[in-house]
Amino acid sequence: MVLHIIGLGLHDEKDITVRGLEIVRQCSRVYLENYTSILMVDSSKLEEFYGVSVTVADREMVESESDKMLEGADKTDVAFLVVGDPFGATTHNDFQLRARELGIPVNVIHNASIMNAVGACGLQLYRFGEAISIVFFIDTWKPDSWYSKMLENRRRGLHTLCLLDIQVKEPSWESLARGTKDYQPPRFMSVRTAIEQLLEVEESRQEGAVSSDLVCVGLARVGCPDQRIVAGTLAELLDVEFGPPLHSLCIPGTVHSVEEEMLNMYKLQTG
């Protein structure tokens, strides 16, 4: 029997591929990974459309109870559902390796993810460099390791996709200090917060990775009917209301004439 790792796409229960849906309906257990990204619908919608029971798997379950999730997968089909594409997060490579170590065959069903759907903004995919992740700052921790990667991309004329922080079922620092786990409400970084943090780090580093007058692209809910894509300077994008999550941000490198024409379609209309 097989562990099936199945991409769900970006929007709702209907973005699954036909092949993926057929496999889900034949599995004895179905898990939904629920921390590297989220669908725009509740898991109950998946259960209704797929016709199976779906167990929501948070970070703790995937990272510390993977053997339990894989139990019996050598005798029956088990599905592990991933928002976007299965390999959009390194966690899923690790899960696959654990299965193979146990002698469990693995079948992967791909789907759209932000890593390719970002092309909707007009920047050509083959001109992107290394993607970066921007996490929420706190008073005592303001990680900026991504800055050097963004700077290198820009020096090479390459675009940068900024993946913005998602915090689902995250324990508070205070509770961890007490040896307990009190979970914070879900948080999803906005384009505005990402820009504020980018400019804060630039002010500190002053190496020229970004500036307030740099034209960039903010994206929200890519792949959904109400997706929003806006191009403008970082200063201008600070005042744009992108609406509900999920958000992303693109920092262009050298822009080709065709890319520039596409970006003009999304530029803020002023005056």
Side-chain angles (χ1 to χ4, degrees):
M1 294 288 102
V2 179
L3 168 68
H4 302 277
I5 305 179
I6 301 173
L8 296 182
L10 293 167
H11 179 216
D12 63 13
E13 73 278 10
K14 296 181 181 178
D15 277 6
I16 192 171
T17 64
V18 173
R19 185 152 60 103
L21 180 58
E22 289 175 346
I23 290 172
V24 166
R25 288 175 172 169
Q26 73 185 30
C27 288
S28 61
R29 298 199 313 276
V30 178
Y31 297 96
L32 170 64
E33 187 264 270
N34 191 46
Y35 66 92
T36 59
S37 188
I38 59 166
L39 278 183
M40 299 294 106
V41 296
D42 188 79
S43 61
S44 62
K45 288 285 188 180
L46 275 64
E47 293 183 323
E48 180 182 350
F49 187 69
Y50 301 164
V52 298
S53 176
V54 175
T55 300
V56 176
D58 59 20
R59 182 189 298 271
E60 289 182 16
M61 177 180 288
V62 176
E63 293 183 351
S64 62
E65 299 181 26
S66 61
D67 289 345
K68 183 177 179 181
M69 294 171 63
L70 294 169
E71 188 176 337
D74 56 339
K75 301 180 179 66
T76 185
D77 284 332
V78 173
F80 184 65
L81 310 181
V82 178
V83 178
D85 185 81
F87 296 133
T90 55
T91 297
H92 309 131
N93 276 325
D94 184 60
F95 192 60
Q96 178 182 196
L97 288 171
R98 295 187 199 186
R100 294 190 185 278
E101 288 170 359
L102 294 171
I104 298 169
V106 176
N107 175 44
V108 176
I109 307 295
H110 294 282
N111 210 319
S113 79
I114 189 59
M115 302 296 285
N116 54 26
V118 68
C121 76
L123 297 175
Q124 297 169 359
L125 290 178
Y126 71 91
R127 296 169 63 87
F128 275 79
E130 185 173 356
I132 65 171
S133 297
I134 301 177
V135 302
F136 283 109
F137 285 174
I138 60 175
D139 291 340
T140 56
W141 188 57
K142 297 185 177 183
D144 63 356
S145 59
W146 44 264
Y147 183 90
S148 57
K149 298 175 184 177
M150 179 185 294
L151 184 61
E152 179 62 20
N153 282 346
R154 295 211 64 218
R155 285 174 174 168
R156 296 173 60 197
L158 302 176
H159 312 316
T160 304
L161 169 61
C162 305
L163 303 172
L164 308 188
D165 201 4
I166 297 172
Q167 295 187 356
V168 178
K169 200 177 179 182
E170 291 286 335
S172 67
W173 289 100
E174 295 81 4
S175 69
L176 290 175
R178 295 193 304 268
T180 61
K181 286 187 179 180
D182 296 329
Y183 297 106
Q184 304 179 90
R187 299 174 69 201
F188 306 97
M189 184 179 287
S190 65
V191 168
R192 179 181 293 114
T193 298
I195 292 173
E196 290 171 346
Q197 294 188 180
L198 283 177
L199 294 177
E200 181 179 343
V201 172
E202 179 60 48
E203 185 176 1
S204 172
R205 300 276 291 260
Q206 296 188 7
E207 296 177 54
V210 294
S211 63
S212 60
D213 60 355
L214 177 68
V215 174
C216 298
V217 189
L219 306 97
R221 301 172 304 286
V222 175
C224 301
D226 66 340
Q227 75 174 17
R228 183 151 201 221
I229 301 174
V230 181
T233 66
L234 288 179
E236 290 171 334
L237 294 181
L238 277 172
D239 295 326
V240 175
E241 179 50 62
F242 282 91
L246 297 169
H247 294 188
S248 303
L249 180 66
C250 283
I251 311 297
T254 302
V255 178
H256 185 275
S257 59
V258 175
E259 294 176 304
E260 186 170 4
E261 189 174 347
M262 288 291 294
L263 289 179
N264 285 335
M265 292 172 45
Y266 296 114
K267 278 195 174 175
L268 284 166
Q269 301 301 313
T270 58

